[in-house]
Amino acid sequence: MNLLTATITAFVVWAIASAIAALVAGPYVASLVMVVGSLFVYVVVAIKLRTKSAEAFYVAERRIPALVNGAATAADWMSAASFLSMAGAIALSGYDAMPFIIGWTLGYTLMAFTVAPFIRRSETYTIPEFIEARAGGWGVARLVAVIMVFIVSLVYLTAQLVGVGVVFGRFLGIAATIAVFIGAISALVNAWTGGWRSITWVQFIQYWVMISMYWLPVIIAAAALGLFNPFPHFAYGDLIREIEAREAQYGLTPWTEPFARPFGGGTGPLNWILGAVVLMLGTMGLPHILIRFYTVKDVKSARLSVGWALTFIGLLYVTASIYAAIARYSFSALWGKPIEEVMKTPWVEKWLPTGLISIRDTNGDGILQPGELSFHGDIVVVGMPDMFGMAWFIAPLVAMGGLAAAISTADGLLLAMSTAITRDVYKRFINPRVTEAGEVLLARILVTIIAFIAGFLGYLALSDPTFSRYVALIVGWAFVFAASSFTPAIILGVFWKRLNRYGIVAGMIAGMLVAAPYVIAVGAMGMPPLEIAGQKIGTVAWGIFGFLTNLVVSIAVSLATRPEGKEVMEFVDKMRLPEIRK
């Protein structure tokens, strides 16, 4: 049985099992079968692609087609946060949430031209291995890079597993603290069986699941509001004007007013611009995304895969703003109504117990005012089926999409960290003569250990609201840390030959020392942010200072110490030279 046949068979079995459950046991059990059963499909694909080869485990034998790699990269990128919270951020902050979309999409565009081709041309297996090669084979540089991989990746992974818990808890009533381990085991199986070979194809399938389930409810809602002209993406401007007309009646700041709301804990145009730039730079330095370019066959495929990834990611990002507008329109339609009537609205009545909606009659007049209704960003996507009274099976389909988003990102993070230990530490420093089978076995053992460590951290996050709040903050800082560590080292490593081993290591450490204390002090400990020209600099925007510190220290230290030898110069030249296709 080939891969296509196995995948179709698994989906057919899933559909039949879901239909039987709906007929025999009702919507609740059927929803459970639909969501949990989707994991079965991914496991079937992963097992079908199991491998014992180190090259297949680490770089998928460098044979992944560009389109497949692009979709897999998009799935790897679009985590539970993007799927569940992107639209919510726009609904809450309007124009001031745009740095997320601008920074991330521009980051991928620049990656296609400045990073991806050279990473693939280096013919290394991991980002720490690339860093060591550029540092003239100095092992210290590789070890520092491994530490940076873990700083960026571990809490990011924990958040994805928390996202799995949230999906199960909100949609199916399963305890989130238990569901988090379901996510850990699912991600573990996908990564354990065949490394990057298996999870790339699994993520390819997960992308189409998540994007289909993301579009489904918003298309139904847009149709109900008459927004097809010919597509809602071109017609929701009238909806925004109606929202802002309602806001004007209550003397509210227009939703699209620039710089009217905080971003990343900061305020003003400077914070907004720097935040977008940091997200762009951080995108270019995420290790679990950069490693993707090792899995394609050549430089041209690396460029194409970034283009496909940007296209596929764009399908979600251009739709997030429609979600936001429809949700804000639905909430604003409740203003001015008797609170008793609002409380009896079916979808409000359903979601009030979750805490995602809060209603308080502050002035005691019994009429709902805008300031008396608040909502959590996550309800924008997960609550859309209920807002428009959609069929019961739409909600579990949306849950499937959120689950696919969380698991796909968890897969990539698991492998990024496990390979950082096996190839970059164990094989490089402890046992260089390890057999290929032994190396893959160790990688699988480490994937298991890391998965359950992250699952336990997710359990703690869901058990303790305070811990959960800090994990969420740190995940937002992943881009700050990536921009402050890997991005300058990679850019300078490709385009400036004078960069040497001491500059690479000093720059990464200095950048992280500037970034980490500020985001911890301001974001976690509640210290007031610094102000520049009267504008507060938030934790995301602060990443620009980590990036610039890394850049300046790398250049200064490199110029003050001896340059690298001929071998490194040849390595750089090889990366830069056009690939000759046979």
Side-chain angles (χ1 to χ4, degrees), residues 202-466:
V202 168
Q203 289 172 331
F204 173 71
I205 295 170
Q206 287 171 330
Y207 171 77
W208 296 110
V209 171
M210 75 173 74
I211 199 64
S212 300
M213 298 309 106
Y214 194 79
W215 273 55
L216 179 62
V218 80
I219 290 298
I220 295 172
L225 294 172
L227 294 181
F228 277 84
N229 188 25
F231 294 103
H233 300 75
F234 303 107
Y236 69 104
D238 291 337
L239 199 65
I240 293 176
R241 282 188 283 273
E242 189 170 344
I243 293 168
E244 296 194 336
R246 291 177 182 174
E247 291 174 335
Q249 291 176 8
Y250 289 92
L252 301 177
T253 302
W255 185 41
T256 56
E257 180 75 21
F259 317 125
R261 299 167 182 87
F263 170 76
T267 57
L270 180 61
N271 177 75
W272 192 95
I273 293 170
L274 292 181
V277 172
V278 169
L279 291 173
M280 175 194 72
L281 295 171
T283 299
M284 297 171 66
L286 287 177
H288 72 289
I289 299 298
L290 289 171
I291 202 171
R292 280 275 164 210
F293 307 122
Y294 294 124
T295 64
V296 294
K297 63 180 180 179
D298 52 31
V299 171
K300 180 181 178 181
S301 298
R303 289 188 190 275
L304 286 174
S305 67
V306 177
W308 280 117
L310 187 60
T311 300
F312 293 141
I313 291 168
L315 291 177
L316 185 142
Y317 283 177
V318 298
T319 308
S321 56
I322 304 175
Y323 260 111
I326 292 175
R328 199 166 180 92
Y329 175 85
S330 299
F331 280 109
S332 65
L334 300 174
W335 299 343
K337 292 184 177 181
I339 288 181
E340 185 177 348
E341 178 185 339
V342 172
M343 300 280 278
K344 292 180 179 179
T345 303
W347 67 270
V348 174
E349 191 174 25
K350 176 178 178 179
W351 285 97
L352 273 173
T354 68
L356 296 182
I357 303 177
S358 176
I359 295 176
R360 296 183 180 87
D361 189 7
T362 307
N363 61 9
D365 66 353
I367 303 298
L368 184 67
Q369 304 298 322
E372 296 173 338
L373 170 67
S374 60
F375 64 94
H376 191 284
D378 285 356
I379 198 177
V380 169
V381 173
V382 301
M384 189 69 66
D386 296 309
M387 291 179 193
F388 288 85
M390 299 178 197
W392 67 266
F393 57 83
I394 301 295
L397 288 175
V398 175
M400 279 176 52
L403 187 61
I407 295 298
S408 62
T409 304
D411 291 340
L413 291 164
L414 267 178
L415 278 181
M417 287 185 285
S418 64
T419 55
I421 297 178
T422 53
R423 188 166 187 88
D424 296 316
V425 177
Y426 183 77
K427 185 173 182 178
R428 171 64 176 84
F429 298 102
I430 299 173
N431 186 8
R433 296 183 180 180
V434 63
T435 63
E436 192 170 89
E439 188 177 356
V440 171
L441 176 61
L442 178 61
R444 285 174 170 157
I445 292 171
L446 288 168
V447 163
T448 305
I449 294 171
I450 294 170
F452 280 97
I453 289 173
F456 180 69
L457 291 175
Y459 172 85
L460 293 177
L462 290 164
S463 301
D464 183 349
T466 302

Side-chain angles (χ1 to χ4, degrees), residues 148-189:
M148 300 300 171
V149 167
F150 270 81
I151 290 174
V152 173
S153 300
L154 184 57
V155 291
Y156 208 137
L157 173 59
T158 303
Q160 301 317 303
L161 300 182
V162 169
V164 173
V166 168
V167 166
F168 276 100
R170 289 180 185 166
F171 284 93
L172 303 174
I174 298 174
T177 51
I178 295 174
V180 71
F181 289 101
I182 297 176
I185 293 170
S186 178
L188 167 62
V189 172

Side-chain angles (χ1 to χ4, degrees), residues 132-146:
E132 183 187 25
R134 186 57 184 83
W138 193 35
V140 172
R142 193 167 188 165
L143 286 175
V144 171
V146 168

